[in-house]
Amino acid sequence: MQCLFPKTLNPQFFLRSFNNTRSKAFTVRSMSSGSRMFQLKVDPLTGNSEWVVIEEDEASGDATKQLLANTSYLDMLNDTRRNKAYREAIDKTITKPCHVLDIGAGTGLLSMMAARAMDLGDSVESSGSKGMVTACESYLPMVKLMRKVLHANGMQRKIRIINKRSDELEVGVDMPSRADVLVSEILDSELLGEGLIPTLQHAHDQLLVDNPKTVPYRATVYGQVFDHGFIFKYSFADSHWVPFGYKAVIFPQLTFQLVESTDLWKLHDLYNTEKEVLDEICLVPEGMDSALCVKRQQFSMHCDALEEDIKLLSEPFKVFDFDFWRRPDSHRVTKLSVQATDTGAVHAVISWWLLQLDEKGTIFYSTAPKWISCPSSVEGFNSSISWSQNWCDHWKQCVWFIPKKGLSLLKDEEVSLLAVHTDTSISYEMKTLSQNLELEQSEVSAQKYQITLLPEKIALYSDVNWRCSMLKAIKNAMKQKTPSLCVVVDDSIFLAVALAHLAKGSHVLSLFPGLQEKGALYLQAVATANGYSKDHVEVQKMSELLTSQSSQEKQIDLLVGEPFYYGNNSVLPWQNLRFWKDRSLLDSILSEGAVIMPCKGLLKACAMSLPDLWQSHQCLQHVEGFDHSVVNSTLGACGGLPPGQENPTLPFSVWQCGESKKMSDIVTIMEFNFLKTISPCSGKAKVEFISHGKCHGFVLWIDWVMDAEESIVLSTGPEQRYWKQGVKLMKEPVAVGSHRSATTDCHSADIETSFDPSTGDLIVEYAFL
């Protein structure tokens, strides 16, 4: 892991950098320097956080293990195609003793490959820098883990570990000389997001010899069209399409493709999708297109999960090339002309990359979606590429959304694409210069009240069924009791606007714990479009509300939430029980008969077959010949753990987890009663299997019951694409079958859970019957 953050340890800069590395989700964040680590602990039920200092001997505690279990290290080490490609490239590149630098060394896998390639594994320790491997790793818990891995493989004397960022290394202090070879894997789905460019720049300037060898060597791309059943690639040397198997020169670059997709459109264009919703709520009024929007950035996604909805509108095309063996530029701009292969509306640009790991161009790794493929029937070329056709989570494709409804194209029409890359990102524009200027002016004017949301939240806010259910629940609640004071306890923009619109005789307060002042400015900006006065709704902090209402003796008649807490992007479902905690804090100022919405939460579960996800999180044994079993417990692996040790429940969007199949009906394990104050609770349910096959784990989520009659229930289960579920993978897959089956497979299982409100933890246990 290569974490870039200032020596002053600025937390905000650090969090941005660290989240661009191996993370999937964090309730605990950390950074390290020297022999201590600064760890940000966040209470999921209060939102309160504090930085604490953890010394080196404390860096293997439970909180750190939970942090590492939420990273993609385990998934990456289980990616056999990646590991094989790196091993083959290192063996071809390092053929004699030399000084090797490994930046972002992680568990030390690449360092050990380099040492073995120099035949150092069992030899006497070399003198000088020749035959030396310097492993640079900035994250203290990974340094401790690497030491264990090196010791388990007898490599501790052959590899020197430096617990620093690479831009803190000094030749003559940390390294005896400049390195001859650089090995590294500091790539994210976008290629640049982990700080690849500044890391390479500093390495070439300060740490490497002139004309060094590098693994990887460069990022490369291939083009593809389908014509009469044959697959072709573009030869930039010959300037025409040639079949796979022909010799062709491929220049380094990223790959992109224009696509039309209703699903992708709904993930970013609330302004236009909201027009199709026939209710009276207007979250994005006319002339305020960017009031609620996604960030102008690429989003990593498993695009194979969207394949049925995607219509390809162009061939893959080259945008940028990146060489690792020479110093890269920080900023480049390129203008491309892309021809449409079909008629449609461009909703997004999908990108991926292909890595050339060796100098001669014989070893490759691709992050392409499945529709970009090299068939096994084609001899020669297929054997040199590790095609990422099997599911993995550490590298995905990237999606760049085209503003508004997209750009309409006719077949064979050409569109101009402007691409820009900085040190850490790539962006696109498909507009004329005058349109660009108008967009910039619009964005500047909207900055005061503009709120950026995740794509899933944008899509949810345009979902007709969800909006209809929410509005019906509000109207039903107002029939029970005419509210004088309504409080939105979370960051729900929709509920705040809807209450202000519907509850004309009530005063509406929004706590907006995450949105805060920006949320207040937004509510003022959309007031006229939603038919309420600006003084009808206000934003207060929880502490202010408790103080003011206690003194005024004015009590809350209606307390609502989705629940949704801004910034809690990748939390487990039960961490949204912060709503229950907040409702409990406000208990003293609730009126008699106050309506709580939702009034109940139902913890649901379903047994599922998840072979791709399980394989990516299975216990490690030998990785390309190196024992990694010592990391299993720390990284939260499933399968092969010591007795009494369980892998953690982790948040995933199940619909993006590759192959999946329901193995049981959905069961309710326990209820969270929001009409009462928060308290410990537990539950148990019997799961009956309905399908024959392998069960890999249980998927858990919460259904929110919005009314006392339970007529309106909003599910966050795996069939919904707006939320993450909690996934409890089993130690080993279990053969299961229905009672009607004549097999000896397991027919049922007991699943038991308990919730601790002091920590927000949910313990999940199961037993097969």
Side-chain angles (χ1 to χ4, degrees):
M1 175 185 290
Q2 171 72 358
C3 295
L4 300 175
F5 54 89
K7 295 180 181 179
T8 55
L9 300 177
N10 182 300
Q12 292 305 313
F13 184 95
F14 167 76
L15 291 179
R16 182 174 68 253
S17 300
F18 190 74
N19 283 333
N20 279 335
T21 58
R22 305 290 178 201
S23 70
K24 286 197 292 264
F26 290 97
T27 54
V28 182
R29 298 182 174 95
S30 61
M31 54 186 169
S32 58
S33 179
S35 61
R36 61 176 52 184
M37 180 171 66
F38 299 83
Q39 188 158 288
L40 181 65
K41 292 188 176 181
V42 181
D43 184 337
L45 294 189
T46 65
N48 297 330
S49 62
E50 63 175 340
W51 285 95
V52 295
V53 177
I54 298 179
E55 302 298 337
E56 182 172 2
D57 58 356
E58 302 173 316
S60 300
D62 291 340
T64 301
K65 285 184 178 181
Q66 181 65 33
L67 176 72
L68 289 170
N70 276 287
T71 67
S72 58
Y73 277 112
L74 188 60
D75 176 83
M76 179 177 62
L77 291 167
N78 270 311
D79 185 349
T80 55
R81 292 171 305 286
R82 165 197 173 274
N83 301 335
K84 179 183 177 183
Y86 265 94
R87 189 256 303 161
E88 290 179 346
I90 287 173
D91 286 346
K92 285 192 175 185
T93 302
I94 302 173
T95 56
K96 61 182 179 180
C98 57
H99 184 191
V100 179
L101 173 62
D102 180 2
I103 293 180
T107 63
L109 177 61
L110 303 188
S111 294
M112 291 189 292
M113 289 178 177
R116 184 174 60 185
M118 292 187 284
D119 293 325
L120 295 180
D122 300 315
S123 66
V124 179
E125 189 171 1
S126 301
S127 59
S129 62
K130 297 300 179 183
M132 170 185 289
V133 179
T134 300
C136 172
E137 174 56 55
S138 65
Y139 186 42
L140 181 58
M142 286 310 301
V143 169
K144 292 174 68 66
L145 207 54
M146 191 194 323
R147 289 179 184 144
K148 293 180 180 179
V149 174
L150 297 185
H151 180 77
N153 290 277
M155 288 279 190
Q156 64 270 29
R157 292 195 307 157
K158 308 306 174 187
I159 298 168
R160 187 183 182 198
I161 302 173
I162 307 295
N163 181 206
K164 289 184 177 180
R165 302 192 322 264
S166 66
D167 63 349
E168 294 178 325
L169 295 182
E170 295 182 45
V171 174
V173 178
D174 304 296
M175 304 165 55
S177 64
R178 287 176 175 252
D180 306 297
V181 179
L182 171 66
V183 296
S184 63
E185 198 276 75
I186 47 175
L187 314 173
D188 69 347
S189 297
E190 191 179 9
L191 192 70
L192 307 181
E194 287 190 20
L196 174 66
I197 288 178
T199 298
L200 288 177
Q201 288 175 336
H202 180 266
H204 281 285
D205 291 345
Q206 302 294 332
L207 306 176
L208 302 175
V209 299
D210 293 336
N211 301 313
K213 294 183 177 181
T214 63
V215 178
Y217 183 75
R218 61 166 50 131
T220 34
V221 74
Y222 61 93
Q224 178 180 12
V225 295
F226 293 89
D227 184 21
H228 302 297
F230 292 95
I231 296 180
F232 294 76
K233 71 177 180 180
Y234 190 82
S235 167
F236 292 98
D238 302 325
S239 298
H240 63 275
W241 294 88
V242 297
F244 272 117
Y246 283 51
K247 292 185 178 179
V249 179
I250 309 175
F251 288 94
Q253 56 189 319
L254 289 166
T255 315
F256 303 83
Q257 207 162 18
L258 303 181
V259 300
E260 178 182 78
S261 168
T262 302
D263 285 347
L264 291 178
W265 171 51
K266 290 180 178 179
L267 286 170
H268 76 97
D269 186 8
L270 184 56
Y271 175 71
N272 284 295
T273 56
E274 191 179 41
K275 292 179 180 178
E276 300 182 358
V277 182
L278 301 178
D279 60 35
E280 300 175 5
I281 307 304
C282 186
L283 297 179
V284 186
E286 193 73 34
M288 297 173 59
D289 307 16
S290 58
L292 295 180
C293 60
V294 297
K295 287 185 178 180
R296 298 286 286 167
Q297 67 176 47
Q298 294 200 89
F299 292 90
S300 60
M301 294 184 186
H302 291 287
C303 290
D304 288 327
L306 295 166
E307 185 174 5
E308 293 183 1
D309 179 65
I310 286 177
K311 178 181 179 181
L312 302 179
L313 295 179
S314 79
E315 300 294 348
F317 51 89
K318 170 185 174 181
V319 178
F320 291 115
D321 53 0
F322 297 94
D323 286 328
F324 295 74
W325 54 271
R326 60 183 174 185
R327 192 183 194 278
D329 294 326
S330 294
H331 179 271
R332 282 185 292 171
V333 179
T334 185
K335 187 174 182 180
L336 303 169
S337 181
V338 181
Q339 187 176 43
T341 57
D342 206 341
T343 298
V346 183
H347 292 134
V349 177
I350 291 179
S351 67
W352 60 91
W353 44 262
L354 186 143
L355 204 62
Q356 177 183 327
L357 287 101
D358 66 323
E359 183 176 359
K360 292 184 178 180
T362 62
I363 304 167
F364 296 85
Y365 183 99
S366 168
T367 64
K370 287 182 179 179
W371 63 77
I372 303 293
S373 60
C374 181
S376 57
S377 60
V378 180
E379 296 182 0
F381 199 79
N382 186 54
S383 61
S384 66
I385 295 186
S386 291
W387 292 89
S388 185
Q389 294 299 289
N390 293 332
W391 188 89
C392 66
D393 204 36
H394 63 101
W395 285 328
K396 310 169 189 174
Q397 295 79 48
C398 280
V399 174
W400 174 272
F401 296 114
I402 303 302
K404 298 186 179 180
K405 278 195 172 182
L407 183 66
S408 295
L409 292 177
L410 298 175
K411 185 178 179 180
D412 298 327
E413 186 178 358
E414 292 193 352
V415 60
S416 293
L417 179 75
L418 186 70
V420 180
H421 87 71
T422 64
D423 278 347
T424 57
S425 66
I426 301 171
S427 60
Y428 309 93
E429 192 57 72
M430 299 180 69
K431 292 179 177 289
T432 64
L433 179 61
S434 61
Q435 288 174 315
N436 287 337
L437 290 174
E438 290 173 6
L439 177 63
E440 290 168 4
Q441 292 167 358
S442 173
E443 288 180 347
V444 169
S445 64
Q447 281 179 357
K448 290 183 178 180
Y449 57 79
Q450 183 184 71
I451 295 174
T452 57
L453 299 172
L454 287 181
E456 293 82 359
K457 181 58 67 172
I458 292 292
L460 176 67
Y461 279 170
S462 66
D463 186 284
V464 175
N465 293 330
W466 183 87
R467 286 172 65 127
C468 180
S469 296
M470 276 294 187
L471 292 174
K472 183 179 178 182
I474 292 174
K475 292 174 182 177
N476 289 348
M478 293 173 62
K479 289 178 182 177
Q480 292 183 49
K481 184 174 184 178
T482 303
S484 173
L485 177 62
C486 304
V487 172
V488 180
V489 77
D490 61 357
D491 286 300
S492 177
I493 297 165
F494 181 85
L495 287 177
V497 173
L499 276 174
H501 173 77
L502 295 172
K504 293 291 194 298
S506 309
H507 188 59
V508 179
L509 289 178
S510 289
L511 298 188
F512 280 175
L515 293 172
Q516 299 179 359
E517 183 61 25
K518 182 149 284 191
L521 292 173
Y522 167 83
L523 292 178
Q524 299 293 302
V526 302
T528 301
N530 286 280
Y532 63 84
S533 60
K534 293 184 178 181
D535 60 355
H536 184 48
V537 59
E538 62 176 305
V539 175
Q540 277 192 357
K541 293 182 178 179
M542 173 75 78
S543 57
E544 295 173 347
L545 175 60
L546 287 168
T547 302
S548 63
Q549 298 311 118
S550 296
S551 61
Q552 296 177 19
E553 297 184 355
K554 189 175 183 180
Q555 295 184 309
I556 301 171
D557 299 309
L558 177 58
L559 183 74
V560 302
E562 293 185 18
F564 161 61
Y565 290 92
Y566 190 76
N568 287 6
N569 300 330
S570 297
V571 299
L572 290 161
W574 38 93
Q575 289 172 346
N576 280 317
L577 291 175
R578 178 177 173 181
F579 171 82
W580 198 9
K581 182 85 169 183
D582 289 343
R583 170 260 178 268
S584 300
L585 291 174
L586 296 170
D587 188 65
S588 62
I589 56 173
L590 292 177
S591 67
E592 184 177 353
V595 179
I596 311 295
M597 190 186 93
C599 63
K600 186 190 299 183
L602 304 176
L603 182 65
K604 299 282 187 172
C606 178
M608 293 195 72
S609 172
L610 298 162
D612 295 329
L613 184 61
W614 193 91
Q615 184 175 347
S616 74
H617 283 73
Q618 66 183 324
C619 270
L620 299 166
Q621 298 302 325
H622 284 81
V623 180
E624 293 300 322
F626 296 107
D627 185 4
H628 271 68
S629 59
V630 294
V631 310
N632 288 324
S633 174
T634 304
L635 296 184
C638 54
L641 292 178
Q645 197 169 93
E646 290 282 342
N647 54 293
T649 304
L650 299 174
F652 287 98
S653 295
V654 171
W655 71 278
Q656 287 202 58
C657 287
E659 183 182 345
S660 65
K661 178 184 177 182
K662 287 176 60 177
M663 304 303 292
S664 75
D665 288 327
I666 296 170
V667 298
T668 300
I669 306 176
M670 66 178 178
E671 297 183 356
F672 308 103
N673 186 357
F674 305 145
L675 300 182
K676 299 180 180 180
T677 57
I678 193 168
S679 62
C681 51
S682 60
K684 184 177 181 179
K686 186 175 183 179
V687 177
E688 300 280 356
F689 297 110
I690 59 174
S691 297
H692 174 74
K694 294 286 187 180
C695 178
H696 296 90
F698 292 97
V699 176
L700 301 99
W701 67 94
I702 294 179
D703 283 357
W704 306 102
V705 181
M706 307 308 289
D707 60 344
E709 292 76 24
E710 299 192 18
S711 63
I712 304 173
V713 180
L714 299 176
S715 177
T716 62
E719 294 181 354
Q720 310 299 321
R721 294 188 172 188
Y722 308 128
W723 297 277
K724 282 183 166 63
Q725 295 78 42
V727 179
K728 178 72 171 181
L729 291 171
M730 297 172 180
K731 293 182 178 181
E732 296 291 344
V734 176
V736 300
S738 69
H739 282 290
R740 294 187 298 272
S741 124
T743 67
T744 57
D745 298 339
C746 291
H747 300 303
S748 62
D750 283 339
I751 181 168
E752 192 169 355
T753 59
S754 59
F755 173 68
D756 183 355
S758 66
T759 61
D761 293 334
L762 186 84
I763 297 174
V764 182
E765 297 176 323
Y766 59 87
F768 286 89
L769 306 176

